[in-house]
Amino acid sequence: MLTLFQTKKKHNGVFIAFGKYVWLENKHAACSTFGKGALSRSDPTWLQRTRALTAQTTTNGNELQYLEQLTVNRRRQRRGLQQNESDVERANRILSATGDRNFEEYRLDLYEAFYLLYALDAIRINDPSRQLLSVDDCWMRFSQCVPEFATYYAVYHYYRTLGWAPKQGSKFGVDYVLYRSGPRHMHGDFAVKIMHPNESYDWQTLHQLARVCTQVKKTLILCYAKSPTSTTHPSCLSDFEIRELIMKRWSPEKNREKWVR
C-alpha cells in the first residue's frame, strides 16, 4: 500500500491547525500505513459500515465484518446486549441526511504529513485559504502547533527509514507504536517512549509503563533523542542523536534465579 504514495502523482492535503492534522482531499490515496479515517480506527470504512448495518435485516448476519463492528459485537456479547431496531433506524436516517455519500475525512497526523512531503515528496499541503505551503512553511507551522515537533518527527523519521510504520500510541502510555505493515494487518510489536533530556523519570513510572506494554504484548523501547542547539529548520534532522534501550518487566516469580546446590 505504501506504493500509493510513491507514484509521480502528488496528493493534496489541507493543514488544519486547530486539530493538528492534515486533511487528505483524495480519499483514493488511503493507505493503511499512513493516516486514518476520521470516524474509523484505520482506513475510512464509515459509509460501508453504515450501509451494512441497514442491510442486516436481509443478510441474516452474513454481512462483511469491520474492525469497528467486531469490537462493538464483542462488547455487546460481554454485556449480554443485542442490537435493536433503533441502531438500524439511526443508520437509515444518517444515510438519508447525507444522500448516501461518504463524508468521512481521511486524516494524516503532522509527522506522517511532513514525512510524505519532506522525505517522499508525495503530497502537496495547502492552508485553508488554498495557499501552497513549502517544506519550511510546514516545519514552522507544525512546530507552532507542537513545541517538540522536531524531536517527535526525528524519531518518527528514524523508524520510518528502518521500515516500521509508527502510529500514535497514547492509549498505551507511549508516544509511538511500531507496526510492520500497519494496524490493519497485524498488531504492533514495539511501543516507543521518547525520553526527553530535561525530564526525570522514576523507576516506578517506568515499571508501570513496562507492565502495561507487557499486558498488550508489546516490547517497550526507551528512545533517547538528543536534539541540536537549533531546530528552526528541517536541516537540523541530520544533527539529531538517537539511542534506544529495550526495557522488559522483571517478574520475581518468572525470573527468579535457580540456585544449584
Side-chain angles (χ1 to χ4, degrees):
M1 297 292 289
L2 183 60
T3 54
L4 288 174
F5 285 103
Q6 293 176 329
T7 59
K8 294 182 179 180
K9 179 182 178 181
K10 292 186 179 181
H11 303 286
N12 294 318
V14 179
F15 171 49
I16 309 297
F18 70 88
K20 299 180 181 179
Y21 69 90
V22 172
W23 168 43
L24 195 63
E25 292 182 320
N26 185 359
K27 295 184 177 65
H28 297 291
C31 171
S32 61
T33 60
F34 288 98
K36 65 182 297 294
L39 304 175
S40 307
R41 288 175 56 182
S42 183
D43 291 341
T45 60
W46 169 81
L47 182 60
Q48 295 91 326
R49 296 198 318 269
T50 307
R51 286 174 176 171
L53 183 60
T54 61
Q56 281 186 355
T57 55
T58 59
T59 56
N60 297 321
N62 295 323
E63 70 281 353
L64 179 63
Q65 292 287 297
Y66 296 94
L67 292 176
E68 295 81 0
Q69 191 59 41
L70 290 173
T71 302
V72 171
N73 292 341
R74 284 198 301 266
R75 290 174 179 171
R76 281 177 170 163
Q77 289 177 0
R78 287 197 297 265
R79 299 171 184 174
L81 301 177
Q82 295 182 352
Q83 181 173 291
N84 52 46
E85 288 298 322
S86 62
D87 296 329
V88 179
E89 294 174 358
R90 187 182 304 110
N92 279 318
R93 289 199 302 270
I94 292 174
L95 291 179
S96 176
T98 59
D100 199 27
R101 289 179 293 173
N102 191 1
F103 282 90
E104 181 172 21
E105 296 178 352
Y106 194 76
R107 298 183 180 183
L108 302 170
D109 66 36
L110 300 183
Y111 315 109
E112 293 172 322
F114 194 80
Y115 182 83
L116 290 170
L117 174 68
Y118 174 75
L120 298 184
D121 191 26
I123 189 175
R124 287 186 294 263
I125 300 179
N126 305 302
D127 64 11
S129 64
R130 315 306 298 179
Q131 179 181 355
L132 183 64
L133 301 178
S134 65
V135 172
D136 293 347
D137 292 334
C138 289
W139 181 271
M140 179 187 66
R141 297 198 183 196
F142 292 177
S143 298
Q144 291 173 349
C145 288
V146 182
E148 295 289 337
F149 174 79
T151 300
Y152 283 96
Y153 177 75
V155 174
Y156 179 91
H157 189 103
Y158 171 74
Y159 285 111
R160 266 290 179 186
T161 55
L162 292 178
W164 294 98
K167 288 291 185 179
Q168 209 268 350
S170 59
K171 70 177 180 179
F172 301 118
V174 296
D175 297 298
Y176 293 119
V177 175
L178 303 184
Y179 294 86
R180 296 184 184 182
S181 304
R184 178 182 179 183
H185 304 285
M186 61 182 64
H187 292 288
D189 296 302
F190 297 96
V192 179
K193 176 65 177 178
I194 299 177
M195 310 296 286
H196 299 279
N198 298 329
E199 296 182 8
S200 59
Y201 303 88
D202 58 86
W203 278 109
Q204 181 178 358
T205 301
L206 293 178
H207 277 295
Q208 291 171 347
L209 190 58
R211 183 180 179 89
V212 170
C213 293
T214 301
Q215 292 296 321
V216 294
K217 302 185 183 302
K218 291 174 176 45
T219 301
L220 176 62
I221 297 178
L222 303 181
C223 183
Y224 294 84
K226 183 179 180 181
S227 61
T229 305
S230 175
T231 58
T232 58
H233 191 270
S235 59
C236 71
L237 292 171
S238 59
D239 297 325
F240 269 88
E241 296 181 13
I242 295 178
R243 294 179 297 152
E244 301 164 284
L245 176 66
I246 292 180
M247 180 178 178
K248 294 185 178 180
R249 178 172 173 261
W250 183 81
S251 173
E253 296 180 357
K254 297 181 180 180
N255 303 99
R256 184 183 294 115
E257 294 182 355
K258 296 181 179 180
W259 296 94
V260 180
R261 296 182 179 179

